[in-house]
Amino acid sequence: MASSVYGKSPIGIMLHFLICCALLVGVVFGQADRPQPWIRRPVDKTEVADAVARVKSGKFNGYHLGVIGEAGAIEAIPDLEVQFARDPDPLEKAKIAQVLLALGDRKDAYWNFLVELAKPALEIDAPNPIHFDAQGKSLPGLSPKFIAWAEAHGQSPYQAGENAVYLYPGIVMLVGATRDSRALPLLRRALSSPNSQIAAAAAMGLAEVRDATSIPLIIGRCKETPAEAASLIAESLLYFDDPQAQNAVDTFVPKERAKILREARKMGRGALHR
């Protein structure tokens, strides 16, 4: 199954993934020039009903799945189960699985599908695709160590980089967005990834499931990471009502960015921008 995903063109993967995972589009994987955080909007009953109807008809996309997940529309579960069985596309299937799990439909088939898709993100031994200067600021392009790793493994650095920077972190976020307790060991494993993008995605997932026991692990990861990547990882700590976590936010996240995120949280923004 994994080969059918990773065999696609890298640009196609990225665009397709962002479309089918509309719920998570607000999460930005790059370190620089991050936009203002997404704010939860009031649930529009008409929009939810339309999304449920579209799933039933089979004419839906990631946005409609996001609406259903955000609204907690459990009435869509039977039709989502049908579409999961029918959909041949692994990424779309993964998004359906995530929404089903988040809605409380915890069948092993959905969880196992996501775990299988996430394996490359958890098992990859590549160096960080992002490289940093002496001040911990990210530099343009892929890191020389990552390029050398990709070439040594017979991979195109461009395709390997797209997977490492976009696809793998996105799949880790889907695992976290299930809010399933089975995600905890996988997210903690991903937090230790040398890829700071995957680590940031894992930290946000741990915040999504409110796993307070992971706070020291997230802080420890920030301490061993270049400043700009540490800031991205530490944003997850803002969503814990814990003094240690909040102090770490003030340590690693720039003051203005932390202020914006705290205001957004007050207005309903969650760890995974829902």
Side-chain angles (χ1 to χ4, degrees), residues 9 54 140:
S9 69
R54 285 178 177 271

Side-chain angles (χ1 to χ4, degrees), residues 106-118:
R106 301 296 173 90
K107 291 184 177 68
D108 288 342
Y110 312 136
W111 176 250
N112 293 340
F113 187 88
L114 279 181
V115 170
E116 188 67 23
L117 201 66

Side-chain angles (χ1 to χ4, degrees), residues 50-60 65 68 76 79-80 83:
D50 176 67
V52 173
R54 285 178 177 271
V55 168
K56 183 183 289 289
S57 72
K59 298 178 181 179
F60 64 96
L65 294 173
I68 289 169
D79 293 315
L80 287 169
Q83 297 303 337

Side-chain angles (χ1 to χ4, degrees), residues 81-99:
E81 290 180 331
V82 170
Q83 297 303 337
F84 176 85
R86 289 178 178 173
D87 202 320
D89 185 279
L91 293 179
E92 291 175 357
K93 204 176 185 77
K95 179 58 185 171
I96 295 170
Q98 178 266 310
V99 174

Side-chain angles (χ1 to χ4, degrees), residues 204-233:
M204 284 298 181
L206 290 166
E208 179 73 10
V209 298
R210 297 290 191 272
D211 182 45
T213 60
S214 291
I215 290 173
L217 300 177
I218 297 172
I219 294 174
R221 187 70 171 86
C222 292
K223 289 179 178 179
E224 64 186 24
T225 304
E228 203 168 299
S231 171
L232 188 65
I233 294 169

Side-chain angles (χ1 to χ4, degrees), residues 123-127 145-157 160:
E123 296 174 355
I124 188 171
D125 61 352
K145 288 183 179 179
F146 183 85
I147 292 173
W149 175 91
E151 292 175 343
H153 287 75
Q155 298 181 27
S156 157

Side-chain angles (χ1 to χ4, degrees), residues 5-18 91 159 162-163 167:
V5 176
Y6 304 121
K8 293 183 179 180
S9 69
I11 289 296
I13 287 173
M14 180 173 65
L15 294 178
H16 191 185
F17 186 76
L18 291 177
L91 293 179
Q159 181 169 349
E162 291 286 357
N163 287 343
L167 183 62

Side-chain angles (χ1 to χ4, degrees), residues 12-78:
I13 287 173
M14 180 173 65
L15 294 178
H16 191 185
F17 186 76
L18 291 177
I19 290 170
C20 77
C21 299
L23 180 60
L24 303 181
V25 164
V27 180
V28 177
F29 305 112
Q31 264 93 36
D33 300 321
R34 281 172 273 164
Q36 303 304 312
W38 183 89
I39 306 298
R40 185 189 298 274
R41 54 179 171 75
V43 174
D44 184 321
K45 292 183 179 179
T46 301
E47 188 177 16
V48 174
D50 176 67
V52 173
R54 285 178 177 271
V55 168
K56 183 183 289 289
S57 72
K59 298 178 181 179
F60 64 96
N61 57 35
Y63 175 79
H64 302 116
L65 294 173
V67 169
I68 289 169
E70 182 181 351
I74 59 174
E75 65 270 25
I77 287 176

